[in-house]
Amino acid sequence: MRLSRYFLPTLKETPAEAQIVSHRLMLRAGLIRQEAAGIYAWLPLGLKVLRRIEQIVREEQERAGAVELLMPTMQLADLWRESGRYDDYGQEMLRITDRHERDMLFGPTAEEVVTDIFRAYVKSYRDLPLNLFNIQWKFRDEQRPRFGVMRGREFLMKDAYSFDVDEAGARRAYNRMFVAYLNTFSRMGLKAVPMRADTGPIGGDLSHEFIILAETGESQVFCDRRLVDMAAPGPDVDWDDLQALVDQRTALYAATEEMHEPARFEAEVGEGDRLSARGIEVGHIFYFGEKYSRPMRAFVAGPDGAERPVHMGSYGVGVSRLVGAIIEASHDEAGIIWPDPVAPFDVALINLRPDDEAVASACEQAVQALEQRGRSVLHDDRDDRPGAKFATADLIGLPWQLIIGPKGLAEGKVELKRRATGERQSVPLEQALEIICA
Ligand code: ATP
Ligand code: MG
Protein backbone atom coordinates (compact mmCIF):
# COMPACT_ATOMS: atom_id res chain seq x y z
CA MET A 1 0.00 0.00 0.00
CA ARG A 2 1.32 3.42 -0.99
CA LEU A 3 0.97 5.93 1.81
CA SER A 4 0.37 8.70 -0.76
CA ARG A 5 -2.84 6.87 -1.77
CA TYR A 6 -3.81 5.72 1.69
CA PHE A 7 -5.96 7.45 4.29
CA LEU A 8 -3.82 7.98 7.35
CA PRO A 9 -4.87 11.21 9.04
CA THR A 10 -2.21 11.51 11.76
CA LEU A 11 -2.25 14.41 14.23
CA LYS A 12 0.79 16.44 15.25
CA GLU A 13 -0.65 17.85 18.43
CA THR A 14 -1.59 15.75 21.39
CA PRO A 15 -5.38 15.82 21.63
CA ALA A 16 -6.34 17.57 24.85
CA GLU A 17 -9.40 15.41 25.54
CA ALA A 18 -7.44 12.18 25.80
CA GLN A 19 -6.37 11.28 29.34
CA ILE A 20 -4.47 8.05 28.79
CA VAL A 21 -1.65 7.18 26.45
CA SER A 22 -3.50 4.60 24.35
CA HIS A 23 -6.31 7.05 23.63
CA ARG A 24 -3.83 9.80 22.72
CA LEU A 25 -1.87 7.48 20.44
CA MET A 26 -4.98 6.07 18.76
CA LEU A 27 -6.09 9.59 17.86
CA ARG A 28 -2.61 10.76 16.85
CA ALA A 29 -1.85 7.68 14.76
CA GLY A 30 -5.11 8.03 12.84
CA LEU A 31 -6.71 4.81 14.09
CA ILE A 32 -10.04 6.19 15.27
CA ARG A 33 -12.14 9.31 15.24
CA GLN A 34 -14.73 10.15 17.84
CA GLU A 35 -18.16 10.79 16.32
CA ALA A 36 -20.06 11.14 19.60
CA ALA A 37 -19.25 10.42 23.23
CA GLY A 38 -18.02 6.82 23.34
CA ILE A 39 -18.79 6.26 19.66
CA TYR A 40 -15.95 5.95 17.20
CA ALA A 41 -15.32 5.60 13.51
CA TRP A 42 -12.55 3.11 12.82
CA LEU A 43 -10.17 4.66 10.31
CA PRO A 44 -8.33 2.33 7.90
CA LEU A 45 -5.25 1.63 10.01
CA GLY A 46 -7.32 1.10 13.17
CA LEU A 47 -9.70 -1.19 11.32
CA LYS A 48 -6.81 -3.40 10.23
CA VAL A 49 -5.73 -3.89 13.84
CA LEU A 50 -9.30 -4.53 14.95
CA ARG A 51 -9.69 -7.18 12.23
CA ARG A 52 -6.46 -8.94 13.18
CA ILE A 53 -7.46 -9.10 16.84
CA GLU A 54 -10.89 -10.35 15.84
CA GLN A 55 -9.30 -13.08 13.72
CA ILE A 56 -7.08 -14.33 16.56
CA VAL A 57 -10.11 -14.41 18.85
CA ARG A 58 -12.08 -16.32 16.21
CA GLU A 59 -9.35 -18.90 15.59
CA GLU A 60 -8.95 -19.67 19.28
CA GLN A 61 -12.71 -19.90 19.80
CA GLU A 62 -12.95 -22.37 16.94
CA ARG A 63 -10.00 -24.35 18.24
CA ALA A 64 -11.87 -24.71 21.53
CA GLY A 65 -14.90 -26.04 19.69
CA ALA A 66 -17.12 -22.96 19.58
CA VAL A 67 -19.20 -22.32 16.45
CA GLU A 68 -19.59 -18.85 14.97
CA LEU A 69 -22.91 -17.25 14.06
CA LEU A 70 -23.99 -13.63 13.84
CA MET A 71 -26.84 -12.28 15.90
CA PRO A 72 -28.54 -8.95 15.24
CA THR A 73 -27.60 -5.75 17.04
CA MET A 74 -31.29 -4.83 17.39
CA GLN A 75 -33.29 -7.01 19.77
CA LEU A 76 -36.90 -7.29 20.84
CA ALA A 77 -37.69 -6.02 24.33
CA ASP A 78 -40.12 -8.91 24.75
CA LEU A 79 -37.26 -11.42 24.92
CA TRP A 80 -35.80 -9.45 27.80
CA ARG A 81 -39.19 -9.36 29.46
CA GLU A 82 -39.18 -13.15 29.32
CA SER A 83 -35.85 -13.41 31.10
CA GLY A 84 -36.89 -10.74 33.57
CA ARG A 85 -33.97 -8.45 32.72
CA TYR A 86 -35.78 -5.71 30.80
CA ASP A 87 -36.59 -3.60 33.81
CA ASP A 88 -33.47 -4.52 35.78
CA TYR A 89 -30.93 -3.55 33.17
CA GLY A 90 -31.36 0.16 33.75
CA GLN A 91 -30.04 3.14 31.87
CA GLU A 92 -27.13 1.37 30.20
CA MET A 93 -29.68 -0.14 27.81
CA LEU A 94 -30.48 1.97 24.77
CA ARG A 95 -34.21 1.54 24.25
CA ILE A 96 -35.76 2.24 20.87
CA THR A 97 -39.34 2.19 19.59
CA ASP A 98 -39.94 1.19 15.97
CA ARG A 99 -42.65 2.62 13.66
CA HIS A 100 -45.13 0.03 14.90
CA GLU A 101 -44.59 1.19 18.48
CA ARG A 102 -42.79 -2.04 19.27
CA ASP A 103 -40.19 -1.84 22.04
CA MET A 104 -36.73 -2.68 20.82
CA LEU A 105 -33.21 -2.17 22.07
CA PHE A 106 -29.64 -2.09 20.84
CA GLY A 107 -28.16 -5.24 22.38
CA PRO A 108 -25.75 -4.70 25.28
CA THR A 109 -25.20 -8.50 25.33
CA ALA A 110 -27.01 -11.47 23.80
CA GLU A 111 -27.99 -14.12 26.37
CA GLU A 112 -31.67 -13.73 25.53
CA VAL A 113 -31.23 -13.87 21.76
CA VAL A 114 -28.96 -16.90 21.85
CA THR A 115 -31.31 -18.70 24.25
CA ASP A 116 -34.17 -17.97 21.88
CA ILE A 117 -32.21 -19.45 18.97
CA PHE A 118 -31.20 -22.46 21.02
CA ARG A 119 -34.69 -23.32 22.24
CA ALA A 120 -36.09 -23.17 18.70
CA TYR A 121 -33.87 -26.02 17.52
CA VAL A 122 -32.25 -28.00 20.29
CA LYS A 123 -34.39 -30.40 22.26
CA SER A 124 -32.15 -33.28 23.28
CA TYR A 125 -28.95 -33.87 25.24
CA ARG A 126 -27.69 -35.69 22.14
CA ASP A 127 -27.12 -32.34 20.46
CA LEU A 128 -24.95 -31.14 23.33
CA PRO A 129 -22.44 -29.82 24.18
CA LEU A 130 -22.86 -26.72 22.06
CA ASN A 131 -21.05 -23.41 22.19
CA LEU A 132 -22.17 -20.58 19.91
CA PHE A 133 -20.22 -17.35 19.56
CA ASN A 134 -20.43 -14.14 17.64
CA ILE A 135 -18.30 -11.06 17.20
CA GLN A 136 -20.76 -8.22 17.08
CA TRP A 137 -21.17 -4.56 18.04
CA LYS A 138 -22.77 -3.91 21.38
CA PHE A 139 -24.19 -0.73 22.81
CA ARG A 140 -24.15 0.24 26.48
CA ASP A 141 -25.07 3.75 27.40
CA GLU A 142 -22.20 3.96 29.88
CA GLN A 143 -22.46 6.72 32.44
CA ARG A 144 -18.85 7.70 31.89
CA PRO A 145 -17.59 6.69 28.46
CA ARG A 146 -13.88 7.44 28.59
CA PHE A 147 -10.37 6.40 27.68
CA GLY A 148 -11.32 6.10 24.02
CA VAL A 149 -12.24 2.60 22.93
CA MET A 150 -11.50 1.18 26.39
CA ARG A 151 -14.87 2.28 27.70
CA GLY A 152 -16.95 3.13 24.71
CA ARG A 153 -20.70 3.12 24.35
CA GLU A 154 -20.60 1.28 21.04
CA PHE A 155 -17.96 -1.47 21.18
CA LEU A 156 -17.06 -4.76 19.53
CA MET A 157 -17.40 -7.83 21.70
CA LYS A 158 -16.87 -11.51 21.16
CA ASP A 159 -19.55 -13.26 23.13
CA ALA A 160 -19.82 -17.02 23.36
CA TYR A 161 -22.57 -19.04 25.03
CA SER A 162 -22.23 -22.65 26.10
CA PHE A 163 -25.08 -25.13 26.48
CA ASP A 164 -24.73 -28.36 28.45
CA VAL A 165 -27.00 -30.96 29.91
CA ASP A 166 -25.59 -30.67 33.43
CA GLU A 167 -23.17 -28.79 35.61
CA ALA A 168 -20.29 -31.20 34.95
CA GLY A 169 -20.64 -30.56 31.22
CA ALA A 170 -20.86 -26.83 31.81
CA ARG A 171 -17.63 -26.98 33.78
CA ARG A 172 -15.87 -28.65 30.86
CA ALA A 173 -17.19 -25.92 28.56
CA TYR A 174 -15.97 -23.32 31.04
CA ASN A 175 -12.52 -24.88 31.16
CA ARG A 176 -12.27 -24.86 27.37
CA MET A 177 -12.99 -21.14 27.29
CA PHE A 178 -10.59 -20.55 30.17
CA VAL A 179 -7.74 -22.14 28.23
CA ALA A 180 -8.83 -20.55 24.93
CA TYR A 181 -8.60 -17.14 26.61
CA LEU A 182 -5.08 -17.76 27.93
CA ASN A 183 -3.98 -18.70 24.41
CA THR A 184 -5.88 -15.85 22.75
CA PHE A 185 -4.32 -13.08 24.82
CA SER A 186 -0.87 -14.62 24.69
CA ARG A 187 -1.01 -14.67 20.88
CA MET A 188 -1.53 -10.91 21.02
CA GLY A 189 1.61 -10.45 23.07
CA LEU A 190 -0.36 -9.83 26.26
CA LYS A 191 -0.03 -11.26 29.72
CA ALA A 192 -3.60 -11.65 30.89
CA VAL A 193 -4.15 -13.04 34.37
CA PRO A 194 -7.38 -14.88 35.21
CA MET A 195 -8.79 -13.52 38.46
CA ARG A 196 -11.67 -14.76 40.55
CA ALA A 197 -14.65 -12.54 39.87
CA ASP A 198 -18.04 -11.99 41.37
CA THR A 199 -20.65 -14.53 40.31
CA GLY A 200 -23.54 -12.50 41.68
CA PRO A 201 -26.58 -14.27 43.10
CA ILE A 202 -25.69 -17.60 41.46
CA GLY A 203 -22.57 -18.16 43.52
CA GLY A 204 -20.00 -20.84 42.87
CA ASP A 205 -16.42 -20.46 41.72
CA LEU A 206 -17.00 -20.29 38.01
CA SER A 207 -16.38 -16.70 37.08
CA HIS A 208 -13.06 -15.22 36.05
CA GLU A 209 -12.05 -11.89 34.67
CA PHE A 210 -8.97 -11.84 32.47
CA ILE A 211 -6.93 -8.82 33.45
CA ILE A 212 -3.96 -7.10 31.86
CA LEU A 213 -1.84 -5.21 34.33
CA ALA A 214 -1.57 -1.52 33.48
CA GLU A 215 -1.33 1.60 35.60
CA THR A 216 -4.23 3.17 33.76
CA GLY A 217 -6.54 0.20 34.33
CA GLU A 218 -9.92 0.80 35.88
CA SER A 219 -9.87 -2.28 38.12
CA GLN A 220 -7.92 -2.77 41.32
CA VAL A 221 -6.57 -6.31 41.46
CA PHE A 222 -4.58 -8.48 43.85
CA CYS A 223 -2.58 -11.50 42.83
CA ASP A 224 0.40 -13.74 43.27
CA ARG A 225 3.17 -12.25 41.15
CA ARG A 226 4.12 -15.71 39.85
CA LEU A 227 0.86 -15.90 37.88
CA VAL A 228 1.83 -12.97 35.69
CA ASP A 229 4.74 -14.76 34.08
CA MET A 230 3.11 -18.14 33.61
CA ALA A 231 3.25 -19.05 29.91
CA ALA A 232 0.02 -19.85 28.06
CA PRO A 233 -0.63 -23.59 27.63
CA GLY A 234 -0.74 -23.40 23.83
CA PRO A 235 -2.97 -25.38 21.47
CA ASP A 236 -1.62 -28.86 22.20
CA VAL A 237 -3.67 -29.67 25.26
CA ASP A 238 -6.27 -32.33 25.93
CA TRP A 239 -9.38 -30.27 25.21
CA ASP A 240 -11.58 -32.94 26.77
CA ASP A 241 -9.81 -32.85 30.09
CA LEU A 242 -8.51 -29.47 31.14
CA GLN A 243 -9.36 -29.63 34.83
CA ALA A 244 -5.78 -30.14 36.03
CA LEU A 245 -4.58 -27.29 33.87
CA VAL A 246 -7.29 -24.94 35.11
CA ASP A 247 -6.68 -26.02 38.73
CA GLN A 248 -3.02 -25.19 38.32
CA ARG A 249 -3.90 -21.68 37.07
CA THR A 250 -6.44 -21.02 39.74
CA ALA A 251 -4.46 -22.37 42.69
CA LEU A 252 -2.47 -19.17 43.13
CA TYR A 253 -4.26 -16.17 44.60
CA ALA A 254 -5.77 -13.73 42.10
CA ALA A 255 -8.85 -11.65 42.74
CA THR A 256 -10.53 -8.47 41.67
CA GLU A 257 -11.43 -5.88 44.26
CA GLU A 258 -14.99 -7.19 44.81
CA MET A 259 -13.64 -10.67 45.57
CA HIS A 260 -10.53 -9.65 47.47
CA GLU A 261 -9.98 -11.18 50.93
CA PRO A 262 -7.01 -9.36 52.49
CA ALA A 263 -6.47 -11.93 55.25
CA ARG A 264 -6.36 -14.81 52.78
CA PHE A 265 -4.08 -12.83 50.48
CA GLU A 266 -1.55 -12.39 53.27
CA ALA A 267 -1.84 -15.97 54.45
CA GLU A 268 -1.51 -17.54 51.01
CA VAL A 269 0.99 -15.31 49.26
CA GLY A 270 4.53 -14.68 50.44
CA GLU A 271 5.31 -11.02 50.98
CA GLY A 272 7.63 -10.78 48.00
CA ASP A 273 5.03 -12.26 45.67
CA ARG A 274 2.13 -10.04 46.70
CA LEU A 275 1.09 -7.88 43.80
CA SER A 276 -1.51 -5.18 44.18
CA ALA A 277 -1.99 -3.36 40.92
CA ARG A 278 -4.32 -1.72 38.44
CA GLY A 279 -5.65 -3.76 35.57
CA ILE A 280 -7.71 -3.69 32.41
CA GLU A 281 -10.45 -6.28 32.05
CA VAL A 282 -10.20 -7.74 28.55
CA GLY A 283 -12.34 -10.82 29.06
CA HIS A 284 -14.90 -12.26 31.41
CA ILE A 285 -16.14 -15.85 31.61
CA PHE A 286 -19.11 -16.88 33.62
CA TYR A 287 -21.18 -19.94 34.42
CA PHE A 288 -24.76 -19.07 35.30
CA GLY A 289 -26.58 -22.36 35.05
CA GLU A 290 -30.32 -22.07 34.49
CA LYS A 291 -30.63 -18.31 34.91
CA TYR A 292 -32.00 -17.79 31.39
CA SER A 293 -32.96 -21.28 30.33
CA ARG A 294 -35.48 -21.71 33.15
CA PRO A 295 -37.57 -18.57 32.64
CA MET A 296 -37.18 -18.77 28.85
CA ARG A 297 -38.01 -22.47 28.81
CA ALA A 298 -34.91 -23.65 26.97
CA PHE A 299 -35.35 -27.27 28.01
CA VAL A 300 -33.61 -30.39 26.77
CA ALA A 301 -34.48 -34.03 27.27
CA GLY A 302 -31.80 -35.87 29.23
CA PRO A 303 -30.81 -39.54 28.78
CA ASP A 304 -33.72 -40.51 31.05
CA GLY A 305 -36.17 -38.66 28.80
CA ALA A 306 -36.99 -36.05 31.43
CA GLU A 307 -36.85 -32.42 30.32
CA ARG A 308 -34.67 -29.96 32.20
CA PRO A 309 -33.38 -26.44 31.72
CA VAL A 310 -30.08 -26.40 29.84
CA HIS A 311 -26.98 -25.25 31.74
CA MET A 312 -25.42 -22.16 30.27
CA GLY A 313 -22.32 -20.03 30.54
CA SER A 314 -21.26 -16.88 28.75
CA TYR A 315 -17.83 -15.75 27.72
CA GLY A 316 -16.98 -12.22 26.62
CA VAL A 317 -13.90 -10.64 25.08
CA GLY A 318 -13.63 -6.89 24.59
CA VAL A 319 -12.33 -6.94 21.03
CA SER A 320 -12.27 -3.16 20.53
CA ARG A 321 -11.06 -2.57 24.10
CA LEU A 322 -8.10 -4.83 23.29
CA VAL A 323 -6.80 -2.35 20.72
CA GLY A 324 -6.36 0.21 23.49
CA ALA A 325 -5.16 -2.36 26.00
CA ILE A 326 -2.41 -3.60 23.67
CA ILE A 327 -1.19 -0.02 23.19
CA GLU A 328 -1.20 0.56 26.96
CA ALA A 329 1.03 -2.48 27.26
CA SER A 330 3.26 -1.73 24.28
CA HIS A 331 4.38 1.82 23.43
CA ASP A 332 7.19 4.30 24.05
CA GLU A 333 7.71 8.06 23.87
CA ALA A 334 7.63 8.03 20.08
CA GLY A 335 4.47 6.03 19.60
CA ILE A 336 2.87 2.62 19.34
CA ILE A 337 4.86 -0.63 19.21
CA TRP A 338 2.57 -3.25 17.68
CA PRO A 339 3.25 -6.87 18.58
CA ASP A 340 3.79 -8.65 15.23
CA PRO A 341 0.56 -10.70 15.31
CA VAL A 342 -1.74 -7.66 15.47
CA ALA A 343 0.24 -5.08 13.50
CA PRO A 344 -1.79 -3.33 10.75
CA PHE A 345 1.11 -3.84 8.31
CA ASP A 346 4.30 -5.80 8.86
CA VAL A 347 6.71 -3.30 7.37
CA ALA A 348 6.98 0.47 7.05
CA LEU A 349 9.00 1.05 3.92
CA ILE A 350 10.55 4.50 4.11
CA ASN A 351 11.51 5.88 0.76
CA LEU A 352 13.94 8.72 1.53
CA ARG A 353 13.93 10.14 -2.01
CA PRO A 354 10.78 9.32 -3.97
CA ASP A 355 12.04 11.46 -6.87
CA ASP A 356 15.21 9.36 -7.24
CA GLU A 357 14.67 6.65 -9.82
CA ALA A 358 17.11 4.12 -8.39
CA VAL A 359 15.57 4.51 -4.92
CA ALA A 360 12.03 4.26 -6.28
CA SER A 361 12.84 1.10 -8.18
CA ALA A 362 14.58 -0.50 -5.18
CA CYS A 363 11.47 0.29 -3.13
CA GLU A 364 9.23 -1.31 -5.75
CA GLN A 365 11.44 -4.38 -5.74
CA ALA A 366 11.27 -4.58 -1.94
CA VAL A 367 7.46 -4.27 -1.92
CA GLN A 368 7.11 -7.03 -4.49
CA ALA A 369 9.48 -9.39 -2.73
CA LEU A 370 7.85 -8.83 0.65
CA GLU A 371 4.29 -9.19 -0.61
CA GLN A 372 5.23 -12.33 -2.47
CA ARG A 373 6.34 -13.76 0.83
CA GLY A 374 3.09 -12.82 2.50
CA ARG A 375 4.28 -9.68 4.28
CA SER A 376 2.23 -6.51 4.13
CA VAL A 377 3.97 -3.21 3.46
CA LEU A 378 3.01 0.41 3.97
CA HIS A 379 5.24 2.25 1.53
CA ASP A 380 5.89 5.85 2.51
CA ASP A 381 6.32 7.33 -0.95
CA ARG A 382 5.17 10.79 0.09
CA ASP A 383 7.11 13.84 -0.92
CA ASP A 384 8.14 14.75 2.62
CA ARG A 385 11.20 15.25 4.83
CA PRO A 386 12.92 12.09 6.08
CA GLY A 387 12.44 13.31 9.66
CA ALA A 388 8.69 13.48 9.20
CA LYS A 389 8.65 9.99 7.72
CA PHE A 390 10.65 8.54 10.60
CA ALA A 391 8.31 10.21 13.07
CA THR A 392 5.24 8.79 11.33
CA ALA A 393 6.77 5.32 11.22
CA ASP A 394 7.58 5.41 14.93
CA LEU A 395 4.14 6.79 15.76
CA ILE A 396 2.18 4.11 13.88
CA GLY A 397 4.49 1.44 15.27
CA LEU A 398 4.80 -1.18 12.52
CA PRO A 399 7.23 -3.94 13.64
CA TRP A 400 9.86 -3.27 10.93
CA GLN A 401 11.12 -0.12 9.28
CA LEU A 402 12.93 -0.61 6.01
CA ILE A 403 14.71 2.58 5.02
CA ILE A 404 15.94 3.04 1.47
CA GLY A 405 17.87 6.11 0.31
CA PRO A 406 20.40 7.10 -2.37
CA LYS A 407 23.48 7.09 -0.12
CA GLY A 408 23.03 3.58 1.18
CA LEU A 409 21.94 2.28 -2.17
CA ALA A 410 25.19 3.52 -3.75
CA GLU A 411 26.95 1.12 -1.36
CA GLY A 412 24.42 -1.61 -2.02
CA LYS A 413 22.84 -1.20 1.43
CA VAL A 414 19.51 -0.41 3.02
CA GLU A 415 18.73 0.21 6.65
CA LEU A 416 16.53 -2.02 8.75
CA LYS A 417 15.12 -0.98 12.09
CA ARG A 418 13.20 -3.09 14.55
CA ARG A 419 10.60 -0.80 16.12
CA ALA A 420 10.42 -2.62 19.45
CA THR A 421 14.13 -2.50 20.27
CA GLY A 422 15.29 0.41 18.12
CA GLU A 423 18.06 -1.86 16.84
CA ARG A 424 19.33 -0.81 13.41
CA GLN A 425 21.43 -2.57 10.84
CA SER A 426 22.82 -1.56 7.50
CA VAL A 427 22.66 -4.55 5.15
CA PRO A 428 22.05 -5.44 1.49
CA LEU A 429 18.34 -5.44 0.54
CA GLU A 430 18.28 -9.22 0.11
CA GLN A 431 19.56 -9.73 3.61
CA ALA A 432 17.04 -7.24 5.05
CA LEU A 433 14.25 -9.18 3.36
CA GLU A 434 15.59 -12.42 4.83
CA ILE A 435 15.58 -10.96 8.32
CA ILE A 436 12.04 -9.60 8.00
CA CYS A 437 10.70 -12.87 6.62
CA ALA A 438 12.60 -15.13 9.02
P1 ATP B 1 -16.75 -3.50 32.85
O1 ATP B 1 -16.65 -3.95 34.30
O2 ATP B 1 -15.41 -3.06 32.28
O3 ATP B 1 -17.86 -2.55 32.61
P2 ATP B 1 -18.43 -5.69 32.18
O4 ATP B 1 -18.32 -6.56 33.36
O5 ATP B 1 -19.61 -4.80 32.04
O6 ATP B 1 -17.09 -4.82 32.01
P3 ATP B 1 -18.94 -7.86 30.34
O7 ATP B 1 -20.40 -7.64 30.34
O8 ATP B 1 -18.39 -9.05 31.01
O9 ATP B 1 -18.22 -6.55 30.86
O10 ATP B 1 -18.43 -7.77 28.83
C1 ATP B 1 -17.39 -8.59 28.30
C2 ATP B 1 -16.17 -7.77 27.89
O11 ATP B 1 -16.54 -6.67 27.06
C3 ATP B 1 -15.46 -7.12 29.07
O12 ATP B 1 -14.54 -8.01 29.66
C4 ATP B 1 -14.75 -5.95 28.42
O13 ATP B 1 -13.50 -6.38 27.88
C5 ATP B 1 -15.66 -5.57 27.28
N1 ATP B 1 -16.44 -4.37 27.58
C6 ATP B 1 -17.44 -4.23 28.46
N2 ATP B 1 -17.92 -2.98 28.48
C7 ATP B 1 -17.19 -2.29 27.56
C8 ATP B 1 -17.21 -0.94 27.10
N3 ATP B 1 -18.06 -0.04 27.59
N4 ATP B 1 -16.32 -0.58 26.14
C9 ATP B 1 -15.44 -1.49 25.63
N5 ATP B 1 -15.39 -2.76 26.03
C10 ATP B 1 -16.24 -3.18 26.98
MG1 MG C 1 -19.86 -2.80 32.34
Side-chain angles (χ1 to χ4, degrees):
M1 176 61 65
R2 286 170 174 275
L3 190 45
S4 62
R5 301 284 167 78
Y6 201 52
F7 184 61
L8 180 65
T10 56
L11 304 177
K12 288 219 172 58
E13 308 77 39
T14 299
E17 76 270 26
Q19 301 166 33
I20 61 172
V21 65
S22 60
H23 189 196
R24 283 198 289 275
L25 286 173
M26 287 186 75
L27 294 169
R28 282 190 54 215
L31 304 183
I32 52 166
R33 175 181 162 77
Q34 182 174 311
E35 289 299 325
I39 299 178
Y40 293 87
W42 289 81
L43 302 176
L45 202 68
L47 181 62
K48 278 189 183 285
V49 178
L50 189 67
R51 290 285 183 250
R52 291 203 77 181
I53 292 173
E54 189 181 322
Q55 186 55 23
I56 291 174
V57 171
R58 174 177 293 114
E59 286 169 16
E60 295 306 323
Q61 288 294 292
E62 291 183 339
R63 197 195 304 282
V67 181
E68 186 170 14
L69 47 46
L70 186 60
M71 294 182 274
T73 54
M74 296 297 298
Q75 306 179 4
L76 283 174
D78 279 344
L79 274 183
W80 288 66
R81 294 195 174 101
E82 271 191 65
S83 72
R85 276 210 293 183
Y86 189 65
D87 293 324
D88 294 350
Y89 209 90
Q91 291 201 303
E92 275 194 18
M93 179 185 279
L94 181 64
R95 296 158 208 256
I96 299 159
T97 311
D98 75 6
R99 66 199 295 166
H100 305 294
E101 299 291 316
R102 205 169 295 144
D103 293 333
M104 303 197 71
L105 55 105
F106 196 124
T109 176
E111 280 82 3
E112 283 79 358
V113 177
V114 82
T115 305
D116 181 56
I117 294 170
F118 177 88
R119 69 182 173 185
Y121 302 109
V122 184
K123 311 284 182 199
S124 160
Y125 76 96
R126 285 194 194 84
D127 299 321
L128 303 181
L130 180 64
N131 186 328
L132 298 172
F133 78 99
N134 78 167
I135 300 175
Q136 177 61 293
W137 294 91
K138 305 290 188 287
F139 195 95
R140 294 182 186 175
D141 206 350
E142 302 273 359
Q143 187 165 19
R144 287 186 67 199
R146 57 184 183 153
F147 301 158
V149 299
M150 297 266 236
R151 184 163 300 282
R153 292 198 294 166
E154 188 179 67
F155 60 97
L156 190 59
M157 193 205 286
K158 184 286 296 181
D159 39 325
Y161 304 89
S162 65
F163 302 89
D164 286 273
V165 70
D166 55 20
E167 193 182 331
R171 187 173 277 270
R172 282 191 292 276
Y174 186 91
N175 290 347
R176 275 196 285 275
M177 286 294 113
F178 188 103
V179 170
Y181 276 36
L182 292 174
N183 289 341
T184 300
F185 299 126
S186 142
R187 274 185 67 186
M188 296 170 193
L190 293 172
K191 287 177 181 162
V193 182
M195 310 225 176
R196 278 194 308 124
D198 197 1
T199 47
I202 290 153
D205 60 344
L206 290 187
S207 178
H208 286 89
E209 286 177 7
F210 285 74
I211 306 269
I212 289 167
L213 302 182
E215 280 163 28
T216 49
E218 289 184 283
S219 318
Q220 181 67 38
V221 297
F222 304 86
C223 76
D224 190 316
R225 201 179 290 279
R226 288 172 294 173
L227 266 177
V228 181
D229 289 316
M230 241 183 227
D236 299 324
V237 294
D238 178 0
W239 289 97
D240 294 320
D241 184 10
L242 296 167
Q243 195 58 52
L245 215 162
V246 171
D247 288 347
Q248 180 213 345
R249 303 281 164 156
T250 50
L252 296 178
Y253 190 96
T256 59
E257 196 161 28
E258 309 83 69
M259 297 297 285
H260 184 48
E261 302 163 77
R264 226 189 106 193
F265 188 43
E266 285 181 20
E268 286 181 18
V269 188
E271 206 173 342
D273 289 326
R274 271 176 228 156
L275 184 64
S276 148
R278 305 294 297 177
I280 302 167
E281 178 194 329
V282 288
H284 190 177
I285 62 177
F286 196 36
Y287 166 67
F288 47 74
E290 305 175 355
K291 181 171 182 201
Y292 302 93
S293 55
R294 189 174 283 282
M296 293 183 70
R297 303 197 61 79
F299 286 20
V300 287
D304 56 2
E307 296 207 328
R308 66 203 73 196
V310 71
H311 284 252
M312 294 175 60
S314 74
Y315 314 89
V317 169
V319 175
S320 49
R321 176 179 287 184
L322 273 165
V323 181
I326 290 169
I327 297 173
E328 287 295 324
S330 185
H331 66 270
D332 64 12
E333 292 289 291
I336 301 167
I337 303 174
W338 291 117
D340 295 60
V342 301
F345 292 90
D346 299 312
V347 183
L349 171 59
I350 300 175
N351 180 335
L352 292 178
R353 282 281 302 277
D355 57 346
D356 179 314
E357 249 175 61
V359 174
S361 103
C363 286
E364 281 311 318
Q365 194 191 329
V367 170
Q368 270 196 14
L370 285 165
E371 289 183 349
Q372 245 165 37
R373 291 153 93 164
R375 299 303 189 277
S376 53
V377 185
L378 186 61
H379 175 186
D380 192 346
D381 63 338
R382 296 170 308 168
D383 179 20
D384 208 342
R385 293 176 298 114
K389 295 189 175 191
F390 293 139
T392 300
D394 280 350
L395 174 63
I396 65 173
L398 307 184
W400 295 102
Q401 296 175 14
L402 180 60
I403 302 144
I404 305 187
K407 255 207 218 130
L409 218 51
E411 300 162 19
K413 299 255 175 89
V414 298
E415 199 170 6
L416 184 63
K417 173 176 152 182
R418 181 76 180 155
R419 175 67 180 90
T421 58
E423 187 193 337
R424 294 163 171 275
Q425 40 191 327
S426 191
V427 293
L429 178 58
E430 265 314 309
Q431 196 178 331
L433 300 179
E434 284 306 320
I435 297 169
I436 293 171
C437 297

